[in-house]
Amino acid sequence: MHEYSLVQAMFDQIGDAVRANHALAVRRVHVRIGRLAGVEPDLFRTAYDVFRIKTFCSEAPLVIEDAAGDELLLERLELEVP
Amino acid sequence: MCDSCGCGDPHVVSFDVHERMLASNDRTAAHNREHFKDHGVVAVNLMGSPGAGKTAVLEATARALGREARLGVLAGDLATDNDATRIRAAGIVAESITTGSACHLDAEMVHRGLHRLSWRTLDYLFIENVGNLVCPAVYDLGQDVNVVALSVTEGEDKPLKYPTMFRKVDLVLLTKIDLLPQLPEISVDRIAENLRLVMARPTMLVVSARTGAGIDEWIAWLRGQGRPRLTACAGAAGAGAFV
């Protein structure tokens, strides 16, 4: 169940992006998970849904893009700014 | 202005991150690797299922190599100090990394573990990962080589069931081969065949920590990974049952 620790690491990255952009909230999160990454997309989504409660991502759907290799990337965020 | 989802909301901006989720772990792993390189330590990430024989392999390694090379172990363990205690009894320095409920080691845990172990004078540091064929494969620890222990009792199809792990390792140690007479349904050739389907450079050694069979070949392989001060030792070419 390393998906939970991966989501935790991703939230640190999202937090950095939110602060750097003075964002009010995250509207959408785009990630890319390769088939050889050793990560189960459904479990990743479940972990995300647990973590995002009462955070800047509480209203942000997660978009998971498939890939052929071992990619494990936070690709892009849609941020609500003042 | 949001130009990605088409909502037209002027208060939404698209921000490209394009960074590995494990970027922070990768940075710590690179830091660990730098430490190992600076001090001439070969770091081996030893993975495998619970009960695959990782600790027994390290005990056998201590018996075979402990007098001529300085060995040390960081042993990942969910709840106990048992593995490190066993390894210390075999005569080499060892510390536990107790992970609690975490199913793998990460680079930060290894870095903290290094603070408790006299590792700078070692020739080889073995990082015994948490027993698991899934999660440990995802985390770089700063190791030089990845080794997985696979016991003959686990069945022939493990490489096919856990391709991410077997794709990643430099060497498979097929352990407990002294049990093969009790396992007529298990074929070492079929295990090797399955490894060829997933590993880019399939390399397997068959060993028994109990009888010592194949341990010399394992030691020769380790010597082949040596840093400059160990290059006088024989290389691993041609040793054992490479597939």
Side-chain angles (χ1 to χ4, degrees), chain A residues 22-38:
Chain A
H22 307 289
L24 303 171
V26 181
R27 288 282 188 90
R28 201 179 295 267
V29 176
H30 294 262
V31 301
R32 185 191 295 258
I33 299 178
R35 283 172 219 164
L36 301 175

Side-chain angles (χ1 to χ4, degrees), chain A residues 36-38, chain B residues 45-49 54 103-104 129-139 146-150 158-172 195 198-199:
Chain A
L36 301 175
Chain B
N45 180 17
L46 179 59
M47 299 175 279
S49 307
K54 297 183 291 299
C103 49
H104 58 272
N129 219 308
V130 177
N132 184 336
L133 282 178
V134 182
C135 315
V138 179
Y139 292 82
N146 288 306
V147 177
V148 66
L150 171 69
K158 282 289 178 292
L160 305 181
K161 284 184 171 175
Y162 299 91
T164 303
M165 170 62 76
F166 287 91
R167 206 180 289 270
K168 182 154 189 180
V169 297
D170 302 291
L171 174 72
V172 175
L195 288 174
V198 295
M199 289 176 80

Side-chain angles (χ1 to χ4, degrees), chain B residues 44-139:
Chain B
V44 180
N45 180 17
L46 179 59
M47 299 175 279
S49 307
K54 297 183 291 299
T55 309
V57 162
L58 292 176
E59 289 171 312
T61 308
R63 286 192 292 273
L65 190 61
R67 286 199 187 137
E68 52 186 290
R70 287 160 294 190
L71 314 179
V73 176
L74 281 176
D77 199 319
L78 266 73
T80 74
D81 190 38
N82 293 356
D83 291 352
T85 304
R86 272 175 63 185
I87 293 159
R88 279 194 292 267
I92 56 180
V93 292
E95 285 293 334
S96 285
I97 301 175
T98 308
T99 61
S101 58
C103 49
H104 58 272
L105 293 178
D106 65 27
E108 182 58 37
M109 292 181 208
V110 169
H111 191 253
R112 286 200 301 269
L114 290 175
H115 291 162
R116 294 184 285 112
L117 187 80
S118 303
W119 61 273
R120 285 180 181 79
T121 54
L122 298 177
D123 297 311
Y124 295 95
L125 171 70
F126 297 92
I127 304 165
E128 182 182 347
N129 219 308
V130 177
N132 184 336
L133 282 178
V134 182
C135 315
V138 179
Y139 292 82

Side-chain angles (χ1 to χ4, degrees), chain A:
Chain A
M1 289 293 279
H2 55 299
E3 282 79 5
Y4 280 83
S5 64
L6 289 174
V7 168
Q8 195 170 19
M10 182 178 78
F11 265 79
D12 289 342
Q13 289 171 305
I14 295 174
D16 289 345
V18 165
R19 280 185 291 277
N21 289 279
H22 307 289
L24 303 171
V26 181
R27 288 282 188 90
R28 201 179 295 267
V29 176
H30 294 262
V31 301
R32 185 191 295 258
I33 299 178
R35 283 172 219 164
L36 301 175
V39 173
E40 195 49 57
D42 287 344
L43 279 176
F44 189 88
R45 187 179 292 286
T46 305
Y48 175 74
D49 287 339
V50 170
F51 265 86
R52 70 173 167 144
I53 298 167
K54 292 186 181 171
T55 70
F56 34 67
C57 287
S58 58
E59 301 297 324
L62 175 69
V63 181
I64 300 179
E65 205 178 310
D66 189 23
D70 62 357
E71 298 91 335
L72 192 49
L73 299 170
L74 172 58
E75 281 283 24
R76 192 162 57 81
L77 298 169
E78 287 165 32
L79 301 172
E80 185 182 331
V81 292

